[in-house]
Amino acid sequence: MNGFLAIVRRDLRLAFRQGLDSLMVVAFFVIAVVLFPFGVGPQPNTLARIAPGVIWVAALLASMLSLERLFQTDYEDGSLELLALQPVALEITVMAKVTVHWLTTGLPLIVAAPLLGVLMNLPEDGYMPLMIALTLGTPTLSLIGAIGAALILGSRRGGILLSLLVLPLYIPVLIFGVSAVDVVIGGFSAKPQLLILSGLLVGALPLCPWAGAAAVRQGLE
Amino acid sequence: MFHRFANPARFLRFAAVIQPWIAGLTVLLFAVGLYLGLLASPADYQQGETVRMMYVHVPSAWMALFCYTGMAISCGVALIWKHPLADLAAKATAPVGASFTFLALVTGSLWGKPMWGAWWVWDARLTSMLVLFFLYLGYMALNNAFDDPGRGSKASSILALVGFVNVPIIKFSVDWWNTLHQPASVVKMGGPAIHASILSPLLVMGVAFTTYYLWVLLIRIRREVTANKVRALQMRQASRGEQ
């Protein structure tokens, strides 16, 4: 646990000293969503219909864009090898890095989401399920993304490759995240969708750090 | 048996013996299957002649899933036991599986136009096959993304296993998603069981596709082994040139 907290503290400090990086993710999120009223036209009904999907897709892309930083900088300056050598299981290190990734990208996205809901004319009932679904879904995105981020270490053209690897795996989260909001707007309970999102998270929590650590290990060979 | 053929030289001898047999069997099965499917079997009372699309479409969809399963198992074996041929088998399977997936998508689309009136429907099956296609592409892209081929095969093996965990999740989730958005708008195989006159050519074609896959797999593995040998010889020559 000490090792876990030490890595979380170190990476958070690094993130704060780099300052604008995590704000950039939120800026991307907002701008990507704002493009849609220009693209599909500003009719309130159309916007309300597509709002949950657009917000979720933008959150997905924003979370993916910041994945490359997850291991890449540590890999390049060699500190990832030192992190792998320390007497803490590599799985814990990966888990700590995922936690920091969520704190610096997932959490700002959740905070920014209601604002985007207003811009996209999201029906009032939709806010609560959107926030809950994002809270349950974005950690899963960070967890799955960590595997992809570890797999591309040392490859050519990593960023583009990362999107090809990770986006297909994000689809289940997207489907249930959007449908949780849609059913509540339609007047039903979102409990099944939210339970499945929690299930995905609970499944990803032990499995993804494990696979991610295996990927980091082969990346360091 | 399993570790016996870990030796590439022994495998190559074995492959050279069985390959012509598998090739002959494939040609024979395709001849029988196509005759039964295109000429001997009746046209569907509702779908007419277009039902014959099924004899290509369904086996290629089976093979798409079969190849991914085979690939994931090979990747697991390669990671756990460092079995040299499992690596090659997974690498050789990926493009074949991707082609089967593509074939299933294309024939499905051609079949969908006259039956559903649309080239593409966001139905559970179609979507999960599309995701499967992307998983194949990701595997192949990652395999080629490293200067060191050993790194590529290890990284992509992990990806194949991760993707395999996701395949049933995708299937379930899109079922859910579909029932919420557009329930029962899709022709389903349920209801009346398939009549034997249609089922038997389908099964023959399924076996033909499988033997065809084995045939191509053998060719591709032999090619990979040879390419590895050539690379090793070139490396040796290069290092000798330096001295």
Side-chain angles (χ1 to χ4, degrees):
Chain A
M1 204 59 203
N2 271 338
F4 177 82
L5 288 178
I7 296 167
V8 169
R9 229 174 285 136
R10 164 187 179 270
D11 280 12
L12 274 181
R13 198 173 299 147
L14 278 176
F16 281 124
R17 296 217 172 132
Q18 281 158 0
L20 287 174
D21 273 18
S22 51
L23 278 183
M24 298 257 274
V25 172
V26 180
F28 171 83
F29 182 46
V30 174
I31 286 175
V33 171
V34 165
L35 285 178
F36 277 84
F38 294 111
V40 299
Q43 295 87 353
N45 290 343
T46 320
L47 288 183
R49 175 66 199 84
I50 62 171
V54 167
I55 293 174
W56 259 103
V57 170
L60 217 83
L61 294 177
S63 152
M64 192 199 73
L65 273 184
S66 54
L67 277 177
E68 221 184 331
R69 288 199 326 242
L70 194 57
F71 297 111
Q72 195 66 36
T73 46
D74 281 349
Y75 177 75
E76 276 162 7
D77 66 13
S79 41
L80 192 61
E81 284 189 43
L82 292 178
L83 287 175
L85 282 176
Q86 67 178 345
V88 176
L90 193 53
E91 284 77 7
I92 305 255
T93 310
V94 172
M95 191 64 224
K97 290 208 156 278
V98 170
T99 312
V100 174
H101 178 259
W102 183 76
L103 287 174
T104 53
T105 65
L107 204 56
L109 291 185
I110 297 172
V111 174
L115 174 70
L116 292 174
V118 175
L119 288 178
M120 290 296 288
N121 196 29
L122 184 73
E124 238 169 72
D125 298 337
Y127 285 92
M128 208 53 207
L130 179 68
M131 302 293 280
I132 300 174
L134 278 173
T135 312
L136 290 172
T138 45
T140 318
L141 298 183
S142 299
L143 281 163
I144 296 173
I147 305 175
L151 282 175
I152 59 152
L153 289 178
S155 70
R156 301 182 299 258
R157 266 182 260 110
I160 292 291
L161 187 59
L162 185 61
S163 58
L164 184 60
L165 304 186
V166 164
L167 286 181
L169 301 175
Y170 276 180
I171 289 175
V173 178
L174 176 65
I175 290 170
F176 291 112
V178 174
S179 103
V181 185
D182 277 344
V183 290
V184 172
I185 294 174
F188 298 97
S189 158
K191 198 177 169 197
Q193 281 80 3
L194 294 178
L195 283 179
I196 291 175
L197 278 177
S198 332
L200 289 176
L201 176 58
V202 170
L205 261 178
L207 291 177
C208 289
W210 180 50
V216 170
R217 225 170 264 135
Q218 61 84 28
L220 292 175
E221 263 174 24
Chain B
M1 172 71 192
F2 188 67
H3 289 291
R4 225 177 107 76
F5 291 108
N7 179 343
R10 196 177 285 146
F11 174 81
L12 283 182
R13 279 200 302 277
F14 172 71
V17 173
I18 64 162
Q19 193 182 320
W21 290 96
I22 291 189
L25 190 64
T26 307
V27 173
L28 187 73
L29 281 169
F30 265 117
V32 174
L34 286 176
Y35 169 75
L36 286 177
L38 296 185
L39 300 171
S41 75
D44 188 77
Y45 80 103
Q46 235 178 357
Q47 305 193 16
E49 297 292 338
T50 52
V51 76
R52 302 192 195 284
M53 193 78 91
M54 180 180 74
Y55 301 123
V56 180
H57 176 70
V58 174
S60 40
W62 282 344
M63 289 313 292
L65 291 172
F66 179 80
C67 285
Y68 198 89
T69 313
M71 195 171 92
I73 294 172
S74 308
C75 287
V77 170
L79 278 179
I80 296 167
W81 288 289
K82 308 223 183 311
H83 194 295
L85 279 173
D87 233 8
L88 298 181
K91 204 173 164 189
T93 301
V96 188
S99 312
F100 278 130
T101 317
F102 187 68
L103 189 65
L105 287 171
V106 168
T107 52
S109 174
L110 291 174
W111 196 7
K113 186 62 186 167
M115 287 303 110
W116 301 339
W119 295 110
W120 184 262
V121 182
W122 285 101
D123 157 66
R125 280 284 160 75
L126 277 72
T127 316
S128 60
M129 284 306 268
L130 191 64
V131 170
L132 188 69
F133 186 60
F134 288 139
L135 288 175
Y136 274 122
L137 289 188
Y139 175 89
M140 290 192 283
L142 191 60
N143 208 329
N144 284 319
F146 295 91
D147 294 328
D148 168 19
R151 272 291 318 272
S153 67
K154 251 188 208 159
S156 51
S157 294
I158 296 177
L159 181 73
L161 289 175
V162 172
F164 189 65
V165 174
N166 214 53
V167 166
I169 301 179
I170 290 170
K171 272 204 121 119
F172 270 117
S173 59
V174 275
D175 271 332
W176 263 83
W177 176 48
N178 201 43
T179 48
L180 278 166
H181 278 253
Q182 38 169 49
S185 65
V186 174
V187 185
K188 277 189 182 151
M189 286 287 268
I194 311 175
H195 192 260
S197 59
I198 288 180
L199 187 62
S200 55
L202 183 62
L203 290 180
V204 174
M205 285 301 274
V207 180
F209 269 65
T210 315
T211 54
Y212 172 76
Y213 160 67
L214 289 178
W215 183 18
V216 176
L217 183 68
L218 282 180
I219 295 174
R220 293 190 64 95
I221 293 183
R222 291 173 75 179
R223 183 204 153 273
E224 291 286 339
V225 173
T226 318
N228 280 353
K229 267 189 207 161
V230 171
R231 201 179 304 128
L233 283 175
Q234 277 171 342
M235 297 285 255
R236 203 180 300 163
Q237 213 165 21
S239 65
R240 205 179 291 148
E242 270 176 8
Q243 283 164 2

